[in-house]
Amino acid sequence: MPLIFLLLMNLLVACQMNTEQENHQDQENPGVETLASKEAKEAKEELIKEVTLQNTEGETIGEAILTQMVNGVLITLDASNLPPGVHGFHIHEKGICEPPTFESAGGHFNPTNSKHGFDHPEGPHAGDLPNIIVRDDGTVKAEVFADMVTLETGKENSLLQESGTSLMIHSGADDYHSQPSGDAGDRIACGVITNK
Ligand SMILES: [Cu+2]
Ligand SMILES: [Zn+2]
């Protein structure tokens, strides 16, 4: 049998095995181990999403990197040209950012059908995030952890929905209890989290 065919057969067999059997297979055939672990690394790297944020004029003002962690999604925000002060920051339920109002993004991402706010007894929404603070020079760098969502597809709380989801910055602070969205004021920046 040609060598390439044998290698393909080994790969197919390895793919169908559970972890324990796979380990056994790996010891017998180090070549398969290398290929399999390469695939695992690539799969993890896919669980990172880059989100471009735009303001109400449609100009790009920064980005957010979403990284799948063990118990949630780390959101690393880096933006500029924003009004200084405290601003509400949320994940909204639709992946459509149409300036200037960004109403197209819908309400907060809320797969658990909860109430808004960390301080609400029936809250929070999965898409509720801590307020961010913009510096006097209009820049913000923040790391926010969203522990109720995932980047793994096919789950109810996945941010990679068919219709996408979005990140939103508001003009004012989220008070963490007012319905439906924390009385955080206008939507001033939006970024689509695509499922692609
Ligand atoms: Cu919002
Ligand atoms: Zn909310």
Side-chain angles (χ1 to χ4, degrees):
M1 234 182 269
L3 182 63
I4 185 73
F5 184 71
L6 277 170
L7 282 171
L8 281 173
M9 282 294 288
N10 273 333
L11 255 182
L12 281 173
V13 169
C15 288
Q16 287 163 0
M17 286 184 169
N18 67 28
T19 313
E20 200 184 320
Q21 285 169 322
E22 209 171 301
N23 287 339
H24 179 66
Q25 174 81 6
D26 290 345
Q27 282 161 10
E28 283 181 352
N29 191 337
V32 170
E33 181 188 28
T34 308
L35 284 168
S37 56
K38 186 165 170 274
E39 274 173 20
K41 272 177 199 148
E42 280 169 359
K44 269 178 202 160
E45 278 162 19
E46 276 170 24
L47 292 181
I48 291 177
K49 279 277 157 188
E50 277 184 41
V51 175
T52 303
L53 290 157
Q54 59 172 313
N55 65 13
T56 55
E57 263 121 56
E59 301 159 343
T60 298
I61 57 150
E63 65 168 10
I65 308 291
L66 277 56
T67 309
Q68 180 66 47
M69 310 297 273
V70 177
N71 292 314
V73 175
L74 180 68
I75 302 171
T76 307
L77 173 69
D78 188 349
S80 54
N81 292 314
L82 287 161
V86 185
H87 297 271
F89 186 43
H90 311 124
I91 301 161
H92 282 239
E93 64 187 346
K94 290 182 198 163
I96 311 166
C97 293
E98 281 175 7
T101 64
F102 299 127
E103 288 302 319
S104 55
H108 292 180
F109 183 55
N110 183 22
T112 57
N113 202 18
S114 301
K115 300 284 190 199
H116 172 78
F118 297 112
D119 294 341
H120 193 287
E122 292 160 56
H125 296 142
D128 290 353
L129 301 172
N131 286 322
I132 55 167
I133 299 169
V134 174
R135 296 191 200 100
D136 287 343
D137 66 359
T139 66
V140 58
K141 280 191 200 316
E143 282 197 340
V144 170
F145 193 66
D147 65 355
M148 292 175 70
V149 299
T150 180
L151 292 180
E152 288 169 39
T153 51
K155 296 192 173 170
E156 208 175 332
N157 64 336
S158 175
L159 297 182
L160 311 185
Q161 298 293 327
E162 191 68 29
S163 55
T165 51
S166 54
L167 283 178
M168 191 78 69
I169 300 174
H170 289 260
S171 60
D174 183 336
D175 65 14
Y176 298 146
H177 62 83
S178 295
Q179 302 306 304
S181 52
D183 197 22
D186 291 343
R187 303 172 177 198
I188 61 170
C190 186
V192 174
I193 306 168
T194 66
N195 62 345
K196 303 286 185 314

